[in-house]
């Protein structure tokens, strides 16, 4: 898919990877880039840079996503590419004594943002895309959705859920000419990475948001389902599936080292 001349929506577009996506789509000639974010001022600032439009949006709320879709299509035309990019880094605790946690809150918030936001976008856009012969979803997930996230069971589980939904979205609507890509980087130099404890996602070739956005654009142009800005993730995936028990043992060692470092 070529972005030139297309209407594009990016959630979580006020900073980090989302901001970089807005910029790269603008440079690629998008007809209109719509920046959706809970931080309304930040969304407006990015929109001003890319001659776009801004909407305040909490992606955990279906009504907010529907509002963005309705207003974008009313004002600017059919959405060709919807980038479900918003994410949070909550629930990280390397010293946790129970993977089940002690509260539902981090699980519910992670589930709403990392899984249901993708579901809501598809729920309201798939019928429209089918009626006009196709469309494209880019879902920003994480290498954690393919591997795991030491220190955050909620992040790991919901990112795995996001991968599963994206796979099914692509399978279910391939015949409708609806394309899907998942963007699964490791460490990216963003506020979210800096806000969480250091772990295996850090120091393994941290990339700039701009580089990740360029890789995302290339993947969309090639219509690649799995976009890996960190190519080493493919090797980690292979090692995981070749010997799951060995992989879990290795990850447990990383967990132990994290706890040791964090406890100092």
């Amino acid at each position: 898919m070529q972005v030139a001349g297309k209407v594009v929506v990016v959630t979580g577009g006020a900073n980090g990877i989302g901001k970089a996506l807005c910029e790269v789509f603008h440079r690629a000639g998008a007809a209109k880039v719509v920046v959706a974010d809970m931080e309304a001022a930040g969304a407006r600032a990015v929109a001003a840079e890319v001659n776009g439009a801004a909407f305040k949006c909490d992606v955990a709320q279906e009504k907010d996503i529907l509002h963005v879709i309705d207003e974008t299509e009313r004002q600017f035309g059919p959405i060709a590419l919807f980038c479900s990019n918003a994410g949070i880094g909550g629930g990280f605790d390397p010293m946790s004594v129970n993977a089940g946690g002690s509260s539902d809150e981090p699980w519910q918030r992670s589930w709403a943002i990392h899984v249901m936001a993708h579901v809501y976008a598809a729920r309201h856009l798939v019928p429209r895309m089918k009626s006009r012969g196709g469309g494209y979803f880019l879902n920003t997930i994480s290498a954690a959705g393919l591997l795991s996230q030491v220190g955050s069971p909620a992040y790991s589980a919901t990112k795995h859920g996001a991968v599963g939904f994206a796979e099914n979205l692509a399978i279910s609507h391939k015949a409708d000419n609806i394309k899907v890509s998942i963007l699964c980087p490791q460490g990216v130099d963003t506020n979210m990475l800096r806000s969480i404890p250091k772990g295996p996602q850090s120091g393994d070739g941290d990339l700039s948001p701009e580089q990740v956005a360029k890789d995302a654009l290339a993947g969309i142009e090639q219509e690649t389902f799995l976009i890996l800005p960190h190519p080493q993730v493919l090797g980690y995936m292979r090692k995981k599936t070749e010997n799951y028990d060995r992989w879990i043992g290795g990850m447990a060692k990383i967990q132990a080292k994290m706890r040791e470092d964090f406890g100092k």
Side-chain angles (χ1 to χ4, degrees):
M1 173 188 173
Q2 297 299 313
V3 171
K6 305 292 198 311
V7 175
V8 180
V9 173
V10 181
T11 68
N15 53 62
I17 295 173
K19 179 176 184 290
L21 286 171
C22 292
E23 293 167 346
V24 81
F25 294 145
H26 174 62
R27 289 195 299 271
K32 183 64 67 174
V33 177
V34 173
V35 188
D37 201 288
M38 285 187 69
E39 298 177 17
R44 288 193 295 270
V46 175
E49 293 178 15
V50 300
N51 192 30
F55 292 100
K56 184 174 182 179
C57 176
D58 177 358
V59 299
Q61 303 296 320
E62 182 175 6
K63 62 180 177 59
D64 282 19
I65 292 179
L66 178 57
H67 175 73
V68 170
I69 291 170
D70 281 344
E71 284 302 302
T72 296
E73 298 211 334
R74 184 182 69 82
Q75 296 182 39
F76 309 114
I79 296 168
L81 171 62
F82 190 96
C83 302
S84 191
N85 169 78
I88 57 171
F92 280 78
D93 181 7
M95 304 303 288
S96 173
V97 297
N98 187 336
S102 58
S103 167
D104 286 350
E105 193 280 330
W107 289 92
Q108 292 170 340
R109 187 66 176 160
S110 292
W111 182 259
I113 292 172
H114 295 157
V115 180
M116 293 310 298
H118 303 314
V119 174
Y120 297 148
R123 181 175 294 167
H124 295 289
L125 270 174
V126 164
R128 305 177 195 218
M129 289 178 172
K130 287 172 72 173
S131 70
R132 52 194 180 230
Y136 212 117
F137 291 96
L138 173 71
N139 292 352
T140 301
I141 303 181
S142 167
L146 306 167
L147 301 168
S148 192
Q149 179 58 62
V150 172
S152 182
Y155 192 86
S156 298
T158 56
K159 291 297 187 177
H160 275 70
V163 171
F165 176 70
E167 289 173 348
N168 203 275
L169 181 63
I171 292 165
S172 298
H173 297 292
K174 184 175 179 62
D176 300 314
N177 196 36
I178 294 175
K179 310 295 175 58
V180 181
S181 289
I182 59 173
L183 180 61
C184 295
Q186 285 197 127
V188 183
D189 185 20
T190 62
N191 291 336
M192 188 176 86
L193 182 68
R194 292 188 287 270
S195 72
I196 63 176
K198 288 189 175 182
Q201 77 282 353
S202 306
D204 189 19
D206 292 353
L207 298 177
S208 69
E210 292 74 21
Q211 183 58 56
V212 173
K214 289 177 184 177
D215 291 337
L217 178 63
I220 291 167
E221 290 176 342
Q222 296 164 18
E223 299 184 353
T224 301
F225 177 76
L226 177 57
I227 302 173
L228 293 175
H230 295 80
Q232 62 266 41
V233 170
L234 183 59
Y236 300 154
M237 292 170 65
R238 287 172 174 157
K239 289 180 180 179
K240 176 180 178 178
T241 56
E242 283 170 1
N243 190 326
Y244 231 119
D245 293 312
R246 182 178 62 194
W247 177 80
I248 288 174
M251 293 294 279
K253 289 178 181 178
I254 293 172
Q255 172 85 75
K257 182 66 166 59
M258 271 187 70
R259 286 175 172 163
E260 179 184 345
D261 293 343
F262 194 71
K264 289 179 181 178

